[in-house]
Amino acid sequence: DAGITQSPRYKITETGRQVTLMCHQTWSHSYMFWYRQDLGHGLRLIYYSAAADITDKGEVPDGYVVSRSKTENFPLTLESATRSQTSVYFCASSDPSGAGGTDTQYFGPGTRLTVL
Amino acid sequence: SQQGEEDPQALSIQEGENATMNCSYKTSINNLQWYRQNSGRGLVHLILIRSNEREKHSGRLRVTLDTSKKSSSLLITASRAADTASYFCATDTSGSARQLTFGSGTQLTVLP
């Protein structure tokens, strides 16, 4: 199906473990984003990517790693998970160079991550 | 730090009433967007208003933008129970690398 998908939808892990959250979009959008959503903080940008092999830090990048070898995929890795990384993670994509040329973002359904 | 701040944080109204949410921001923008988030779901884009526009309509939605006051409002007319959701404003600041900065949202509850 077309759109933006995230996997897994739910994940429970332990402190210190490595976790990778997957994001896949079928629109060939150039930009992709990772956010975390916590009560009282709204959405905060972790990392973003303007194109394959181009990534940059957002507001809260510490403890996270991203890569983008293909336009359609943008995995987010927590190298050594901490309890403070318990959150809901959203992936999004946008196509500023497309018709209309806006920064409208299209969001995935989210991954709820719990770090014990 | 958050560029946009919504007000009120929570709003409860009866079905059929109008709902108004406000957003204030701090720096100059190219455009401002409103998104809706249903419980347990991702955000969905509702409407975008550019910095040179003052008002925009889309169905039951009306958005205004006052760049002199650095504020925007979202009006939902004739609300329905299905409008129950969180609403976020997002700003695209000048010079940013296509990033959006989201506010903390308004939780709207529409009672049947």
Side-chain angles (χ1 to χ4, degrees):
Chain A
D1 288 348
I4 182 165
T5 57
Q6 294 183 235
S7 62
R9 293 293 314 280
Y10 302 90
K11 178 72 177 178
I12 299 174
T13 190
E14 294 178 337
T15 302
R17 291 192 180 267
Q18 184 179 83
V19 177
T20 295
L21 309 183
M22 305 301 292
C23 179
H24 176 77
Q25 52 107 353
T26 60
W27 295 304
S28 298
H29 284 174
S30 55
Y31 276 78
M32 295 187 75
F33 308 84
W34 274 108
Y35 296 90
R36 59 178 291 173
Q37 185 176 35
D38 307 287
L39 281 174
H41 289 281
L43 274 80
R44 292 183 290 175
L45 182 64
I46 304 170
Y47 269 96
Y48 67 97
S49 169
D53 297 323
I54 301 175
T55 62
D56 209 344
K57 297 177 180 179
E59 182 185 353
V60 289
D62 293 343
Y64 302 95
V65 174
V66 293
S67 62
R68 195 168 176 206
S69 57
K70 294 183 178 180
T71 299
E72 61 266 31
N73 296 324
F74 191 37
L76 175 74
T77 298
L78 288 68
E79 294 187 296
S80 178
T82 65
R83 290 196 181 89
S84 65
Q85 292 177 312
T86 293
S87 186
V88 181
Y89 290 85
F90 288 99
C91 178
S93 69
S94 71
D95 184 25
S97 62
T102 70
D103 300 308
T104 298
Q105 294 187 10
Y106 300 86
F107 283 79
T111 294
R112 184 173 295 273
L113 176 68
T114 302
V115 183
L116 301 176
Chain B
S1 63
Q2 289 173 341
Q3 161 78 319
E5 293 293 337
E6 287 90 344
D7 172 62
Q9 291 188 333
L11 178 61
S12 183
I13 60 174
Q14 295 292 135
E15 208 165 24
E17 294 180 338
N18 296 341
T20 300
M21 288 158 269
N22 303 296
C23 170
S24 60
Y25 57 92
K26 298 174 184 174
T27 62
S28 61
I29 59 172
N30 291 317
N31 62 63
L32 184 144
Q33 303 180 43
W34 285 91
Y35 288 78
R36 183 188 74 229
Q37 183 181 33
N38 290 91
S39 181
R41 302 286 187 93
L43 278 72
V44 175
H45 177 257
L46 294 176
I47 195 166
L48 178 150
I49 186 165
R50 299 187 187 278
S51 59
N52 61 354
E53 297 175 313
R54 292 296 168 260
E55 187 171 314
K56 201 162 183 179
H57 296 255
S58 176
R60 293 184 296 113
L61 305 180
R62 172 179 166 249
V63 170
T64 61
L65 179 65
D66 187 335
T67 52
S68 66
K69 295 182 179 178
K70 291 187 170 58
S71 67
S72 173
S73 67
L74 171 67
L75 168 68
I76 304 174
T77 60
S79 63
R80 306 165 182 168
D83 294 328
T84 294
S86 292
Y87 292 82
F88 296 86
C89 67
T91 50
D92 161 11
T93 55
S94 302
S96 73
R98 302 297 183 183
Q99 297 177 50
L100 294 179
T101 303
F102 289 83
S104 53
T106 292
Q107 171 62 51
L108 172 66
T109 302
V110 181
L111 303 170

